[in-house]
Amino acid sequence: MKTPRAEITINGRKVASAFDERLIALTVTDREGSVSDEVRFDLDDGNPFIAIPRKGDIVGVRLGYLETGLAWFGQYTVEDPEVRCLPYALSVSGKGASMRDDLKTHKERHWDDAPLSAVIGEIAAEHQLAPLVDPTLGGFVYHWIGQQDESDIHFLERLARRHGAVFSVKDGRLIFAAKGSGRAPGGTALTAIEASPDTIVENSCVVRFAHRYKFRRAVAVTQDREKADRVESAADSDEEGEADYRLGEPFADEDEAQAAAESQAAELKRNTITTSVTLWGDPRIRAGAPFRYSGVRPEIDALRFVITEATHTLTKSGYTVALEAKLQAARPGATTPSGAEAPTPTPAPRPNEPEARAPAPVQYRSFPE
């Protein structure tokens, strides 16, 4: 049996070993996109009392198993610590340390004939961040793109929606990555996770089929000023859909409109099937990674997902990961959803690593007509 372990640093200094004895619960939430990652830990307090962290302190987190090593989960800025008395306890929460307030300042500016990578690079440099742009996205050229009385965060989120991407700021880097690629922005494949009956916490597995998101196409429009007419650009989303989904805003040119339509079509497809499940702890489970089931149910095993949120929780009872995932939809121009050979899924381990057992035979049963 493996031993779950966490390591916490505050302003670069490791918390004393008494942390393990006093720990009530540690939760780290890893999210896809610009929504801040979060950490929270609750400790038994009392004589000797624990020094109360100050707002703005930097918390670093590693999590994993004593026998196989700890994985880095990032840095977080302490928000408002909470002290409870009689009995004594201390709760500390924080959000991703790199999501800076200056990214929220509204600006007015524009770019002419600029590739997407140059636009993002300029914004990153203004905030002393290193840009990391997915190469499949960075080459798109905007003949004109404006940031009109909106913050850098809002502008980057708008660009991300148009290109089927996710934008985030982590560990001093401004990341702009293709959504659902199953890869880090630098091209490294994220560990694909496979969940089986042995690795799933009982009564936690749910798969939802949302037919309201089934649209035939996504349609974007461009205003042709010379002809005083609107030109439509469309992308197929779901062959079972009947209606078209129309994007409200007009776009500067047909290339931009087509990219936006393809991005929206893929996002609609992703939302048609979602899943949530809790697995026995595995520090390799991260937002953006490919995910699938094995030996759970025939129709379900055939589906491929991408993790959108992973919440790692360590308590005295053990280590678990609650994840949310969406259907993996093919990206524009990609032969597979990742644009490359999909990585082989890695089974999520249980702490005591039981021997694998074959699932019971399953048969389909038709509904009576």
Side-chain angles (χ1 to χ4, degrees):
M1 181 178 292
K2 293 189 294 185
T3 309
R5 184 73 73 216
E7 180 181 286
I8 303 294
T9 61
I10 297 181
N11 297 329
R13 298 182 61 182
K14 185 177 177 181
V15 177
S17 59
F19 174 85
D20 296 324
E21 299 173 3
R22 293 185 177 225
L23 179 66
I24 299 172
L26 167 68
T27 301
V28 180
T29 303
D30 181 40
R31 295 188 176 96
E32 186 181 52
S34 60
V35 180
S36 290
D37 297 341
E38 295 180 350
V39 66
R40 178 185 173 93
F41 52 93
D42 301 303
L43 303 172
D44 278 325
D45 200 7
N47 195 10
F49 291 101
I50 302 169
I52 301 173
R54 295 170 297 177
K55 184 171 183 175
D57 282 350
I58 302 299
V59 175
V61 180
R62 294 183 186 274
L63 183 60
Y65 292 96
L66 191 62
E67 294 80 4
T68 56
L70 308 184
W72 175 245
F73 275 78
Q75 293 183 322
Y76 307 84
T77 301
V78 172
E79 294 194 309
D80 298 318
E82 178 181 282
V83 176
R84 296 187 294 278
C85 302
L86 301 171
Y88 295 101
L90 173 66
S91 297
V92 179
S93 60
K95 292 191 175 182
S98 294
M99 193 59 79
R100 303 173 181 178
D101 288 340
D102 54 0
L103 281 163
K104 301 175 183 177
T105 303
H106 284 229
K107 297 177 181 178
E108 291 263 3
R109 55 177 164 179
H110 73 275
W111 289 263
D112 295 306
D113 297 320
L116 180 62
S117 58
V119 175
I120 295 172
E122 181 176 328
I123 295 173
E126 292 172 353
H127 301 283
Q128 294 79 50
L129 298 169
L132 192 54
V133 183
D134 192 303
T136 66
L137 304 174
F140 184 92
V141 176
Y142 276 100
H143 300 300
W144 187 93
I145 182 70
Q147 182 177 354
Q148 301 172 329
D149 190 27
E150 56 188 334
S151 67
D152 288 341
I153 288 179
H154 185 274
F155 179 61
L156 289 166
E157 287 177 337
R158 179 157 64 91
L159 290 177
R161 287 194 299 272
R162 288 188 179 185
H163 291 276
V166 289
F167 140 68
S168 60
V169 178
K170 296 184 180 182
D171 292 332
R173 298 179 300 172
L174 196 161
I175 301 170
F176 200 88
K179 183 179 290 186
S181 68
R183 297 180 179 273
T188 305
L190 296 169
T191 300
I193 301 299
E194 180 180 281
S196 69
D198 281 334
T199 64
I200 295 172
V201 176
E202 191 172 337
N203 293 324
S204 70
C205 180
V206 179
V207 180
R208 307 172 189 87
F209 294 82
H211 296 292
R212 66 184 180 277
Y213 288 110
K214 288 190 175 184
F215 286 86
R216 183 170 62 96
R217 303 184 306 166
V219 179
V221 298
T222 304
Q223 187 69 42
D224 188 327
R225 296 182 180 179
E226 293 182 0
K227 298 180 180 179
D229 197 8
R230 292 161 70 90
V231 178
E232 291 189 349
S233 299
D236 293 336
S237 178
D238 194 309
E239 61 184 12
E240 296 182 4
E242 296 180 359
D244 287 344
Y245 183 98
R246 295 185 172 274
L247 284 76
E249 60 176 320
F251 294 87
D253 57 50
E254 291 186 46
D255 288 342
E256 185 181 343
Q258 186 63 40
E262 291 175 354
S263 170
Q264 185 62 56
E267 183 62 22
L268 290 169
K269 184 69 174 179
R270 278 188 282 268
N271 286 320
T272 59
I273 307 177
T274 60
T275 186
S276 60
V277 65
T278 300
L279 306 178
W280 298 111
D282 183 350
R284 297 170 299 177
I285 300 175
R286 302 297 178 102
F291 174 72
R292 62 178 287 187
Y293 291 103
S294 177
V296 173
R297 194 178 194 275
E299 299 96 326
I300 303 304
D301 290 351
L303 300 173
R304 300 294 179 267
F305 298 93
V306 173
I307 298 171
T308 56
E309 181 176 303
T311 301
H312 297 251
T313 301
L314 176 63
T315 67
K316 298 295 185 183
S317 301
Y319 174 23
T320 59
V321 186
L323 66 85
E324 302 277 345
K326 292 183 178 182
L327 186 68
Q328 189 173 33
R331 294 187 296 116
T335 55
T336 69
S338 65
E341 186 67 25
T344 303
T346 302
R350 289 189 69 153
N352 56 358
E353 295 183 341
E355 294 182 2
R357 63 174 184 267
V362 179
Q363 295 181 341
Y364 288 99
R365 183 178 64 182
S366 300
F367 289 103
E369 296 182 357

